Amino acid sequence: MSKYATPTATPTASLPTPPTGSGTPAPAPRYWLRAGWVMTASGWSANQFSALLGSYRSELGLTTAGTTALFGIYVLGLIPGLLLGGPLADQRGRRPVVFLALGTSALATALLMTGPTASAFLWPGRFLTGIGAGALLTAGSAWIKELSSPPHGTAPNPGAAARRSGLFLSAGFATGGLAASLIAQWAPHPMVTAYIPHLILSAVAALCAARTPESSPVHAAHASAAPEPGARREQRASAAEFRRLVAPVAPWVFIAPAVAFATLPGLVDADLKGWQTVYAGVITAVTPGAGIVVAPFARSLAARHRIATGAGGLAAVALGLLIAALAAAQAQPVIALIASMVLGAGYGLCVAYGLTEIAALAPAHRLARLTSHFWTLAYLGFLAPYVITLCTGVFSPPTILVGAAVLAVVTLMAVAYRGTRQAHTH
């Protein structure tokens, strides 16, 4: 097994442990729990829009091409948010980037709320949603990981600390889409009221984060200084391991939920007249919810072998795609729901694997930067529904889903081979 380069942190604050009346030290403050709400807000903002697509088509007259383009402009904002947010968080600290991104996300939601009266604002709203979500993912992931580790927290290892941000993100994915779909189904003015919960959540996240210390061990001057030769070699080795073992898995993180959210409902909901929105909301809740449920399993797999969590995640994604192909062939909503659960489990295992690897590979001053690379590759998976749509002119949806399952198995075999080979060379 390869030797991990475990990140270290220079203490910026000591854990307060004043004696209690019984003479035992008081429990350490759970700073990571306070910061975790920013990741939940990020996941919520990313998923709330999808539940309103039916309303935008029926009430605003947006075409399918128009709503697809709104998804695309979200990705256009997400990529610079990810790629710029990571290095900026390494240079300037986690807190300022998180607050800037949280404010950007709230502004984006406010712009989306103006859609019914001025649909042109949907475009900058979706673009800013991507920027805010991307920066929150990178800076927030690094912040929670560092706040979970000494001297701020008591997580047993870097992997356990890193996985916490994935759980908060999954909680936002699960609840954001479901809440928006329920509001869209029954509340008045759904294209306005469905966004109110995110504004409230953003305010709560900001209040909690305001009482949370900075965790970055590196100041801007140190981050911009030329690294020592030994540090450069370590960075090259970490980058090489990232390319071999993490990069191939990363796109499958969001291929799984993207297929569940955007592809499956349209293939199986023909008989759910009047309930399509609620069904789509249930799918958006069940998929990341399954990712949360498998978190203990991810920990046990990581303890057995370095790549076991990633391999298990890819296997679950492949199985979920095969079940999805069966659901599409028979137009069965129940089977599609089962497929979404299995795909969600694959998502949870893959994201846990990626964040655990990054925590082990990245030196402290490059943690947010490497995290941004992971999330950028992961979000490429959201292009999967568009690829499936393009291919439907040549192949049937079940055939495409089976082909995707084969690709997941090929990825699994490649990562397993590389991981096993590398373990034998050390």
Side-chain angles (χ1 to χ4, degrees):
M1 184 177 296
S2 64
K3 183 178 180 181
Y4 280 60
T6 303
T8 58
T10 302
T12 56
S14 299
L15 284 174
T17 54
T20 62
S22 61
T24 59
R30 295 186 176 183
Y31 292 126
W32 60 269
L33 190 57
R34 300 177 188 173
W37 290 102
V38 303
M39 294 295 287
T40 302
S42 176
W44 190 295
S45 70
N47 233 11
Q48 59 182 349
F49 181 81
S50 60
L52 303 175
L53 292 180
S55 297
Y56 283 121
R57 293 191 189 102
S58 61
E59 297 188 29
L60 296 187
L62 293 182
T63 63
T64 301
T67 54
T68 301
L70 284 170
F71 267 106
I73 201 169
Y74 166 77
V75 176
L76 288 179
L78 185 76
I79 299 302
L82 288 166
L83 295 180
L84 298 178
L88 190 62
D90 281 338
Q91 293 176 3
R92 302 298 180 185
R94 318 309 188 201
R95 278 174 55 92
V97 176
V98 162
F99 279 107
L100 179 61
L102 200 59
T104 301
S105 183
L107 173 62
T109 293
L111 288 174
L112 292 174
M113 294 173 73
T114 66
T117 55
S119 60
F121 284 106
L122 292 174
W123 299 94
R126 287 294 288 167
F127 182 75
L128 290 176
T129 298
I131 290 180
L136 278 175
L137 280 174
T138 54
S141 295
W143 202 17
I144 293 170
K145 184 266 171 186
E146 290 166 348
L147 290 172
S148 299
S149 307
H152 302 286
T154 57
N157 55 66
R163 287 190 291 269
R164 287 173 176 172
S165 60
L167 293 175
F168 281 109
L169 179 68
S170 297
F173 279 141
T175 52
L178 179 61
S181 68
L182 295 178
I183 292 172
Q185 183 74 22
W186 287 296
H189 310 295
M191 291 177 290
V192 176
T193 54
Y195 292 113
I196 293 176
H198 178 250
L199 293 180
I200 297 173
L201 177 60
S202 297
V204 171
L207 290 174
C208 293
R211 298 182 296 162
T212 307
E214 176 61 67
S215 64
S216 175
V218 182
H219 296 293
H222 296 155
S224 60
E228 297 293 330
R232 286 198 294 268
R233 286 194 296 270
E234 181 183 332
Q235 288 177 15
R236 286 195 294 269
S238 297
E241 290 196 54
F242 178 86
R243 288 192 299 270
R244 287 194 300 267
L245 300 177
V246 181
V249 180
W252 295 98
V253 168
F254 286 139
I255 287 176
V259 169
F261 294 165
T263 301
L264 271 182
L267 297 175
V268 301
D269 66 358
D271 294 331
L272 299 176
K273 299 299 183 182
W275 293 93
Q276 289 95 333
T277 299
V278 172
Y279 179 77
V282 171
I283 290 281
T284 62
V286 164
T287 306
I292 297 174
V293 171
V294 299
F297 186 50
R299 290 194 295 270
S300 64
L301 285 176
R304 294 185 178 187
H305 194 280
R306 176 180 183 179
I307 66 167
T309 308
L314 290 170
V317 172
L319 177 59
L321 289 169
L322 290 176
I323 299 174
L326 177 63
Q330 300 185 359
Q332 286 292 330
V334 174
I335 298 178
L337 195 62
I338 295 172
S340 70
M341 294 178 188
V342 180
L343 289 169
Y347 149 80
L349 293 174
C350 287
V351 74
Y353 168 75
L355 293 175
T356 300
E357 281 293 303
I358 290 169
L361 291 172
H365 65 282
R366 290 177 60 84
L367 177 60
R369 185 186 302 265
L370 198 60
T371 302
S372 72
H373 294 168
F374 169 72
W375 285 122
T376 301
L377 291 172
Y379 263 98
L380 292 177
F382 270 116
L383 297 176
Y386 307 106
V387 175
I388 292 173
T389 300
L390 291 175
C391 293
T392 51
V394 181
F395 304 101
S396 67
T399 301
I400 297 170
L401 292 170
V402 170
V406 172
L407 289 178
V409 172
V410 171
T411 306
L412 166 60
M413 295 172 62
V415 172
Y417 172 75
R418 293 171 181 175
T420 304
R421 182 181 179 186
Q422 186 164 337
H424 289 161
T425 60
H426 289 269

